[in-house]
Amino acid sequence: MELIAEHPVLDASCFKRGEKVEFTFDGRSMDGYEGAPIAVSLHANGIRVYRETPEMKRARGFFCAIGKCSSCFMVVDGVPNVRTCVTPLRAGMRVETQHGRGRAAITAMLSE
Amino acid sequence: MTDISTDILVVGGGPAGLSAASEAASYGARVLIVESDLQLGGQLVKQTHKFFGSRDEYAGTRGYKIADILLSEIKENEQNVKVMINTTVTGYYSEDRTFTAMSGEESYMCIRAQRAIVAAGASERLIPFPNNDLPGVYGAGAVQTLMNVYGVVPGKRVLMVGAGNIGLIVSYQLMQAGVEVAAVVEAMPKIGGYWVHAAKIRRLGVPILLRHSIKEAVGERVVEGAVIMELDDKFAPTGQELRMDCDVICMAVGLSPTTEILSQAGCRMKYVPELCGLVAERDRAMRTSNPDFWSAGDATGIEEASAAMVEGRIAGLCAADSLGLPVKMTKLDEYWTRLDHLRAGEVGSKIRAGIDKVYRDKWEVRLDG
Ligand SMILES: Cc1cc2nc3c(=O)[nH]c(=O)nc-3n(C[C@H](O)[C@H](O)[C@H](O)COP(=O)(O)OP(=O)(O)OC[C@H]3O[C@@H](n4cnc5c(N)ncnc54)[C@H](O)[C@@H]3O)c2cc1C
Ligand code: FES
């Protein structure tokens, strides 16, 4: 992971890092820290493209990192349009690139 | 859908919101702080440098440590304070005096509050240029979140756009994190931030290019470089261009107050350039034209953390007072003395001019009480 190794002000304990956990991105297994935002965890693995826009098919990464701009929408455990910059990573999460608007699983909605 | 009720709802858990909550809770008000981020502290948790400002507001202490101080203060009145993180206040319905909020991505709730203090801070601006949507064009706040909160390297080589305090400070923080800063470009003919911050990064060999801006971002799927251009007196391109390699373009081109909730609540708003955007008119109590709403911090105009904390205290004190709680109203004068001190002199002149445009001595009598 692309992590800061040495810092003149902050030591490793200052960084918000929970337990090391595994998750998948488009089927590939990756490591991350529990509780850190999904988008941050992907960035640490060198992944910077999170979705593709509906019409122009433009790549999107994150921009604001505070849940305000919707640039970082992805499909997480089957749920589309998740703001990955403010959604904490959990062990075993299935994270996928979102193509277009994303579709909600109709069956999941009906069973609620 | 869950229903929650509280005396005072504080929207935003940055320095302004935490100070407001702490103040109101110390007089016995039941306070609910709703914060959309995964932790409290707002901008403070991203700041590793020692703060400027006033002694009473912890100047000289590093930003993230000031957040710890405020949090321990809140702990003293823990029984009166409830906190919800990862929760965003999404709307206000004045007919029912009800707020809606979203916790995580899929859980919604209603919040009924007698009073609300909006301390929602600010959002970053973006400027138009070709390819500004490429992954790798990041807001300065996002870069700070990556490196200072989670310890993740944002990139290898960064072009910084904007030489105000934020652009300068984040450039220095990038270098502390071991990232190369290719250059800082600034459209204005002079550096906007404090000279100390500029000197620090110049000493480390980073060029600050005045009268320069970004022309376009270069890259197929992610940022691979940028073309920068020189500007003349009228901000028109001179034709001089330079292509540089970088994998991150960091935008530090200013902030705008976050005020949607106040607009929804019908608070009288005004666009004030000196305060960087649309803000609510307010009185000495930081109360808006809607008698149930107060506001504090960057949401009332982009300023700095010291002032945000004092404004938060004023709002907390006065909101508690409006509930009939026994508060020490003499504190109000003390807080205003501190604010006046922070805004004194040449540096504060812009803020003072801005506030003059939205300050109201008193609200006209409202028929709906
Ligand atoms: C790089 C940088 C360096 C700085 N250096 C200094 C310095 O040296 N000295 C100084 O005094 N100041 C400094 N500042 C400025 C200072 O950080 C801000 O002025 C201060 O944080 C403003 O406080 P606030 O509480 O109003 O807003 P914020 O700190 O922005 O907090 C607002 C909070 O509200 C939350 N929020 C927003 N909308 C909602 C919603 N709808 N629902 C729930 N929560 C919401 C946000 O997530 C955020 O946590 C610096 C700022 C930056 C970016
Ligand atoms: S990056 Fe802006 S909402 Fe996630």
Side-chain angles (χ1 to χ4, degrees):
Chain A
M1 283 189 276
E2 294 167 19
L3 301 177
I4 294 172
E6 260 180 76
H7 197 285
V9 178
L10 302 169
D11 61 50
S13 71
C14 291
F15 298 132
K16 302 210 163 38
R17 289 177 184 157
E19 298 245 333
K20 207 167 195 182
V21 294
E22 265 186 50
F23 67 103
T24 63
F25 166 66
D26 288 346
R28 280 153 64 193
S29 169
M30 291 184 175
D31 287 337
Y33 292 104
E34 179 149 40
I38 296 167
V40 167
S41 312
L42 287 171
H43 210 285
N45 282 281
I47 306 294
R48 308 213 281 165
V49 178
Y50 302 158
R51 71 176 173 104
E52 207 173 59
T53 60
E55 268 136 50
M56 311 275 286
K57 313 276 176 232
R58 303 271 298 173
R60 282 279 187 282
F62 74 173
F63 175 70
C64 71
I66 51 171
K68 282 186 180 170
C69 75
S70 72
S71 187
C72 66
F73 281 0
M74 297 181 84
V75 182
V76 178
D77 290 334
V79 179
N81 301 328
V82 170
R83 295 171 304 159
T84 55
C85 67
V86 287
T87 302
L89 183 71
R90 304 267 170 256
M93 261 182 170
R94 217 160 21 88
V95 181
E96 292 164 284
T97 306
Q98 178 165 323
H99 298 278
R101 290 194 177 83
R103 310 195 94 178
I106 301 285
T107 47
M109 283 170 67
L110 290 176
S111 66
E112 251 180 34
Chain B
M1 201 142 85
T2 344
D3 252 313
I4 303 172
S5 67
T6 182
D7 293 342
I8 300 177
L9 169 67
V10 176
V11 182
L18 291 176
S19 304
S22 164
E23 187 83 14
S26 74
Y27 294 113
R30 284 183 312 139
V31 180
L32 171 65
I33 307 174
V34 176
E35 166 57 56
S36 54
D37 213 336
L38 302 182
Q39 68 265 319
L40 292 173
Q43 289 292 331
L44 290 177
V45 296
K46 302 176 201 170
Q47 308 309 334
T48 50
H49 64 287
K50 294 183 179 155
F51 266 42
F52 48 80
S54 66
R55 253 293 153 69
D56 283 329
E57 277 69 53
Y58 322 109
T61 307
R62 295 184 194 280
Y64 69 98
K65 297 230 161 111
I66 301 178
D68 291 343
I69 297 174
L70 291 174
L71 291 177
S72 58
E73 198 189 305
I74 296 252
K75 268 239 150 82
E76 287 167 26
N77 293 295
E78 184 161 53
Q79 71 288 354
N80 292 334
V81 184
K82 265 186 72 179
V83 174
M84 301 182 79
I85 53 163
N86 193 9
T87 305
T88 304
V89 175
T90 52
Y92 177 68
Y93 294 79
S94 49
E95 357 24 307
D96 312 311
R97 292 185 154 186
T98 297
F99 294 86
T100 51
M102 176 174 92
S103 193
E105 293 303 85
E106 294 202 277
S107 135
Y108 300 90
M109 67 194 88
C110 285
I111 300 171
R112 272 170 245 282
Q114 299 190 48
R115 306 284 189 264
I117 300 173
V118 177
S123 38
E124 280 180 291
R125 294 187 184 156
L126 183 58
I127 50 174
F129 55 86
N131 282 334
N132 70 357
D133 61 340
L134 272 185
V137 179
Y138 295 154
V143 167
Q144 289 193 300
T145 301
L146 273 175
M147 66 180 174
N148 294 346
V149 182
Y150 298 104
V152 173
V153 181
K156 293 190 177 64
R157 196 161 195 264
V158 176
L159 170 68
M160 181 66 63
V161 183
N165 271 326
I166 296 183
L168 298 174
I169 291 172
V170 176
S171 295
Y172 188 68
Q173 292 177 352
L174 278 161
M175 285 183 270
Q176 287 183 313
V179 180
E180 187 188 348
V181 179
V184 180
V185 292
E186 168 61 59
M188 302 299 284
K190 68 179 214 280
I191 290 168
Y194 292 144
W195 181 244
V196 273
H197 296 307
K200 254 181 175 172
I201 62 169
R202 269 204 175 137
R203 229 179 288 132
L204 290 166
V206 176
I208 302 176
L209 305 172
L210 301 176
R211 290 183 201 275
H212 275 77
S213 188
I214 179 162
K215 182 171 181 237
E216 62 182 295
V218 180
E220 208 38 60
R221 298 276 294 172
V222 294
V223 168
E224 290 157 25
V227 179
I228 60 169
M229 59 183 174
E230 191 186 49
L231 304 172
D232 67 16
D233 291 349
K234 300 192 176 69
F235 299 103
T238 61
Q240 281 276 33
E241 289 176 8
L242 183 70
R243 145 94 217 228
M244 39 174 79
D245 288 334
C246 57
D247 56 355
V248 171
I249 298 170
C250 183
M251 306 301 299
V253 291
L255 303 164
S256 307
T258 306
T259 53
E260 293 88 345
I261 302 282
L262 294 167
S263 296
Q264 274 195 0
C267 302
R268 258 198 347 236
M269 310 292 292
K270 198 165 180 177
Y271 183 84
V272 182
E274 293 90 340
L275 301 177
C276 305
L278 192 68
V279 293
E281 295 182 7
R282 78 294 304 257
D283 64 8
R284 193 172 154 82
M286 295 309 292
R287 199 177 201 166
T288 68
S289 67
N290 180 329
D292 296 334
F293 280 75
W294 282 253
S295 186
D298 279 355
T300 63
I302 307 302
E303 202 174 347
E304 31 111 324
S306 301
M309 285 184 256
V310 186
E311 285 189 346
R313 296 208 183 272
I314 292 174
L317 175 82
C318 297
D321 177 53
S322 77
L323 290 168
L325 293 163
V327 307
K328 271 204 234 141
M329 271 320 255
T330 48
K331 283 262 171 194
L332 187 56
D333 289 332
E334 188 192 306
Y335 292 149
W336 272 101
T337 310
R338 283 201 224 165
L339 274 183
D340 290 340
H341 177 75
L342 283 167
R343 292 167 178 161
E346 173 71 38
V347 241
S349 59
K350 191 172 141 214
I351 287 288
R352 292 200 305 273
I355 291 172
D356 276 349
K357 297 183 181 172
V358 279
Y359 185 86
R360 297 288 166 264
D361 277 329
K362 83 175 194 273
W363 299 108
E364 56 273 31
V365 181
R366 291 178 204 86
L367 295 174
D368 57 0

